Amino acid sequence: MDNERLLCDISELNHLFRNSASIETLLNKAVEMVAERTQAAVCSIYLYNPEKQELTLRATKGLNPDAVGRVRLKLGQGLTGLALKEMRAICETDANRNPNYKFFPGIFEERYNAFLAVPIARGVSKMGVLILQRNSDQCFSEPDIKALETVASQLGNIIENAQFIMGIHEPPPETPKSMPTELKFVKGKMAAEGFAYAPAMVLNKHRSLSYLLHHDYGRTYTLEELHNAVAATETQLEQLQEQVESKLSDAASLIFAAHLMILKDQDFLGRVVRQIEAGISAPVAIAEVATNYMQNFLTSDSPYMREKANDIEDLAVRLVNNLLSKGDEIDVYRDHVIITRGLFPSDLLKLSSEGVRAVVLVGGGVTSHISILARSLAMPMVITDNFDLLKVPDGTPLLIDAEMGNIFVDPDDHVLETFWSRQRARLTLSDQKKLMKPVTTTADGSRIQLLCNINLLTDLKVATELHCDGIGLYRTEFPFIIRNTFPSEAEQYVIYRKLVESMPGKPITFRTLDAGGDKILSYYHDIKEQNPAMGMRSIRFSLQNKAIFAEQVRAILRAGAGADLRIMFPMISSVDEFHEAREVVRESMAWLAAHGVEHNDQPKLGMMVELPAVVDLVDDFAREADFFSVGTNDLIQFLLAVDRTNESVAGFYLPHHPAVLRVLNRIVRAAVENDCDLSICGDMAHQTQYTPFLLGIGVPTFSVDPVYLLRTQQAVAAVSLSEAREIAREMLSKSRISDVTALLNQEKERGTSDA
Ligand code: PEP
Ligand code: MG
């Protein structure tokens, strides 16, 4: 064998990789090439499955092709298995005679006695074995071994890349996946509470383009059938769009718009038709054209365009299923727990409109707004970094207890019974209504105001039924995040007016657009920021885009006519910024007045207190602002330098860190002394272990998601102001986290909080 020549061929191998659409093609081309260059009668590649400790013949030149996929060897079994087990080349002149030789009938390798096996590895990871065979009169020499080892090491590299890129790590879709045997329970983190017991489904497996490309369709389809499928798909998409609109009027941007646009794109359909006319099977033609479109979208710098790549895949799968007259398979997600690696807000809306019962998000990629949106959609969601969950076979029963962040895989009867009894004890909305008191007071009768946080208009149902005292935070960014373009002033007005009308006479607090950071407007945030949490976001964004800001402010002022209207600015970091934002409101009022447009001309103007910079200036701010709303979610993030969306540092995100407690105390003092209204609207407001502390430092108003209204009211009622003050005093005296934790545990045991 010519070592030099084989080395040159390595660049060809790489070339093969780039031009191979599947691992099968790559391996077949590789064995052809190596067999030819080494003048071996047989060249075969076995790939290794470490979980099963098994090698499978994946490609061969020279043996019976039917053996591919069928011939399997355990690690150490046969000469091939031995080569991998011991990670060394095995060279035999008469392989049949070696006691380790394993005979497989029907593959016809007995004809070739000269045998050379070299392991394919990447570092210490075993990947497979590369084998050459010849007639016994042409046995292999030392240089042959060296040359083949060089090829094998290159193959290791290439196969690893291919496995990564082509996703062929997994067996073909038809074969049920082997579930990691010990996977019975996974502890995750709650993103949106709720329960679900339903079959699992890993997202994008059945709906992936690679599944479509490699599936055997068994028959051909006519152009007429294609056009019928297009028409059926169009109708379905329009219906889905209508459903979303009726369910979520504020979020109902055209989330299926990209699908419909591509479907109607003559170029897309034209290419599919041309492929079919050229003899390609219709489903494969659809998948190929879609892949091509997708690749263009995926290379875009814009996250919005990259997000659209998903829509193309989704569309192609719908279209193919309609072509196969498997329209009902489009509904495959209904009543399932979806396991997925990443999710856009629009995906979550789609899943919700398709009747998904719960979502498990594996790995990072979750934005705080995905969790907030899931809560508003009443979609239980758990986040975990256990990647084994992605291997759970479809249909496996999963029990999701999002409240505890628990995921049970195929739970036994005992687990189920415990779950059902907890479920029976859960309060329905009507139970909550019965328990909810018209006013919220502490145990000693002090009146506390209980407001709610609204993200989507759907949240209003619970909020109004439970008669909360008003809206303490309306996150206006949701309609902006979900849409695919800035909503117009008129669109915003319609949404805002619904909010105002839902709670006549009660305070309604609009927070102006808090975009950026992890709240990406995918149609706007084209420029990738190194550190978006500290980037061009929130009030900075609004002040830099004054036209957009003024449009929003006008819509709020108009919608707030006749209401107890409050407008607050997020992420304020300086008094100057507050002034500048306030000026935009004043100018907008002047404009509306000059144009004779009905509006609220006396809104209260406040700010989120969520940046450490505010703390030292808090008295100055308290004199400027009509009210403060303390955003503990961001305040903790920035005070402790802990990314609120990063699972791996979640242990450092401590609301009871002494610095956080003292800062909160300082903010409340400033508000009280300067007669500035104050509420707390971050998650700490509903985390009832902190209720006594917050009451104790003098927080008069809590604003929580509607689902937490009752529990917050009950936690307030469980403690008297004098007790709360004592608890707060003690907590503030501690300088160590562990001491505060001990105090909280003590309180928990005494039952002053239910956490
Ligand atoms: C906060 O930061 O605490 C807050 C309420 O705002 P958001 O969670 O929307 O950033
Ligand atoms: Mg915030």
Side-chain angles (χ1 to χ4, degrees), residues 550-577:
E551 240 181 32
Q552 177 177 41
V553 169
R554 282 199 302 270
I556 295 173
L557 290 168
R558 284 173 52 210
D564 179 356
L565 179 67
R566 288 144 196 251
I567 301 177
M568 67 176 167
F569 311 118
M571 294 269 163
I572 290 288
S573 67
S574 66
V575 176
D576 314 57
E577 241 169 17

Side-chain angles (χ1 to χ4, degrees), residues 473 475 511 514 519 608 610 631-634 644 681-682:
L473 165 66
R475 292 180 162 102
R511 180 174 74 184
D514 189 14
K519 305 160 185 176
M608 293 285 292
E610 51 186 349
T632 51
N633 303 342
D634 279 309
R644 64 193 260 197
C681 67

Side-chain angles (χ1 to χ4, degrees), residues 46-238:
Y46 285 75
L47 289 191
Y48 182 60
N49 179 334
E51 273 165 34
K52 292 187 181 164
Q53 300 219 328
E54 191 176 76
L55 281 157
T56 307
L57 178 65
R58 293 292 293 267
T60 183
K61 160 83 177 124
L63 299 184
N64 182 356
D66 288 348
V68 171
R70 286 196 300 115
V71 173
R72 288 163 199 265
L73 289 161
K74 287 285 172 203
L75 188 65
Q77 191 182 23
L79 293 172
T80 307
L82 195 66
L84 189 66
K85 185 174 177 203
E86 297 184 355
M87 294 287 258
R88 65 180 175 93
I90 293 185
C91 183
E92 292 286 330
T93 41
D94 203 351
N96 289 347
R97 292 181 181 225
N98 188 307
N100 281 310
Y101 177 77
K102 171 126 180 74
F103 175 71
F104 283 101
I107 67 170
F108 311 130
E109 68 173 346
E110 54 278 15
R111 305 175 204 167
Y112 310 107
N113 272 347
F115 175 96
L116 173 58
V118 295
I120 304 171
R122 284 282 291 144
V124 289
S125 310
K126 300 178 165 67
M127 304 198 67
V129 184
L130 175 63
I131 293 178
L132 292 183
Q133 289 172 282
R134 286 189 194 138
N135 292 325
S136 48
D137 53 341
Q138 301 170 301
C139 47
F140 296 100
S141 62
E142 197 53 37
D144 291 337
I145 299 174
K146 287 276 162 292
L148 201 66
E149 279 176 342
T150 314
V151 176
S153 87
Q154 287 301 319
L155 265 179
N157 225 330
I158 292 164
I159 291 170
E160 188 188 46
N161 281 327
Q163 282 178 326
F164 179 69
I165 291 167
M166 298 168 188
I168 45 75
H169 226 44
E170 309 157 42
E174 284 83 1
T175 334
K177 282 186 176 175
S178 62
M179 181 166 52
T181 44
E182 72 290 0
L183 194 67
K184 292 298 287 176
F185 172 73
V186 174
K187 183 80 191 161
K189 195 176 147 217
M190 186 261 275
E193 63 177 25
F195 291 96
Y197 178 54
M201 185 168 285
V202 178
L203 194 68
N204 275 347
K205 204 169 51 162
H206 293 263
R207 289 181 164 188
S208 72
L209 284 176
S210 72
Y211 176 81
L212 297 184
L213 282 168
H214 298 111
H215 189 73
D216 179 8
Y217 295 93
R219 57 160 285 212
T220 54
Y221 294 87
T222 63
L223 284 180
E224 194 190 344
E225 284 174 300
L226 173 74
H227 289 299
N228 290 342
V230 170
T233 309
E234 198 174 323
T235 313
Q236 277 161 6
L237 289 170
E238 276 162 1

Side-chain angles (χ1 to χ4, degrees), residues 433-742:
K433 259 175 93 168
K434 282 182 214 140
L435 292 168
M436 193 81 195
K437 305 252 164 43
V439 289
T440 302
T441 53
T442 59
D444 51 355
S446 298
R447 177 81 166 90
I448 295 296
Q449 211 183 18
L450 188 53
L451 306 175
C452 66
N453 295 345
I454 299 290
N455 306 319
L456 293 176
L457 292 180
T458 44
D459 298 332
L460 284 174
K461 181 173 164 46
V462 180
T464 49
E465 296 225 10
L466 296 184
H467 303 296
C468 65
D469 295 324
I471 296 172
L473 165 66
Y474 171 53
R475 292 180 162 102
T476 57
E477 53 272 16
F478 274 92
F480 284 80
I481 288 172
I482 291 155
R483 279 157 200 266
N484 38 29
T485 175
F486 285 106
S488 65
E489 183 182 325
E491 283 175 294
Q492 291 181 61
Y493 170 80
V494 171
I495 299 167
Y496 300 165
R497 189 67 202 164
K498 283 190 187 154
L499 204 77
V500 168
E501 284 171 353
S502 71
M503 297 204 193
K506 294 183 177 175
I508 311 286
T509 316
F510 284 86
R511 180 174 74 184
T512 61
L513 188 60
D514 189 14
D518 64 337
K519 305 160 185 176
I520 294 280
L521 305 182
S522 47
Y523 48 91
Y524 183 84
H525 288 104
D526 274 5
I527 301 154
K528 194 159 169 38
E529 294 182 303
Q530 280 295 342
N531 191 347
M534 299 190 188
M536 183 44 68
R537 58 176 302 191
S538 207
I539 196 67
R540 293 177 194 159
F541 171 91
S542 295
L543 293 176
Q544 212 193 36
N545 295 279
K546 285 235 174 86
I548 294 169
F549 187 32
E551 240 181 32
Q552 177 177 41
V553 169
R554 282 199 302 270
I556 295 173
L557 290 168
R558 284 173 52 210
D564 179 356
L565 179 67
R566 288 144 196 251
I567 301 177
M568 67 176 167
F569 311 118
M571 294 269 163
I572 290 288
S573 67
S574 66
V575 176
D576 314 57
E577 241 169 17
F578 184 77
H579 284 174
E580 203 180 337
R582 187 171 61 189
E583 203 43 43
V584 173
V585 179
R586 288 182 177 160
E587 279 166 12
S588 301
M589 287 194 294
W591 189 94
L592 289 168
H595 288 78
V597 182
E598 192 189 9
H599 66 283
N600 189 315
D601 60 359
Q602 284 185 319
K604 291 208 170 70
L605 298 184
M607 59 182 268
M608 293 285 292
V609 178
E610 51 186 349
L611 295 185
V614 171
V615 182
D616 261 335
L617 292 168
V618 70
D619 289 290
D620 305 72
F621 278 115
R623 285 190 287 272
E624 298 285 337
D626 295 325
F627 65 96
F628 284 164
S629 187
V630 186
T632 51
N633 303 342
D634 279 309
L635 186 61
I636 298 168
Q637 153 164 277
F638 290 114
L639 210 52
L640 304 183
V642 188
D643 179 351
R644 64 193 260 197
T645 65
N646 183 344
E647 249 305 84
S648 61
V649 288
F652 296 95
Y653 190 93
L654 297 172
H656 58 276
H657 188 296
V660 175
L661 300 181
R662 292 183 197 187
V663 158
L664 287 174
N665 184 45
R666 175 132 189 233
I667 295 166
V668 176
R669 293 276 70 74
V672 171
E673 281 160 21
N674 292 287
D675 208 14
C676 172
D677 270 1
L678 177 137
S679 71
I680 180 157
C681 67
D683 286 356
M684 222 176 150
H686 73 247
Q687 291 162 345
T688 51
Q689 65 269 43
Y690 306 123
T691 313
F693 171 80
L694 295 173
L695 289 170
I697 58 170
V699 171
T701 305
F702 290 62
S703 189
V704 300
D705 282 9
V707 286
Y708 301 126
L709 282 169
L710 178 63
R711 84 160 64 155
T712 309
Q713 183 176 71
Q714 291 177 338
V716 169
V719 63
S720 70
L721 264 194
S722 51
E723 274 175 308
R725 284 190 189 121
E726 185 50 32
I727 293 168
R729 200 191 53 72
E730 263 207 83
M731 284 172 72
L732 288 169
S733 72
K734 306 292 178 203
S735 54
R736 289 161 56 117
I737 299 166
S738 53
D739 290 341
V740 182
T741 311

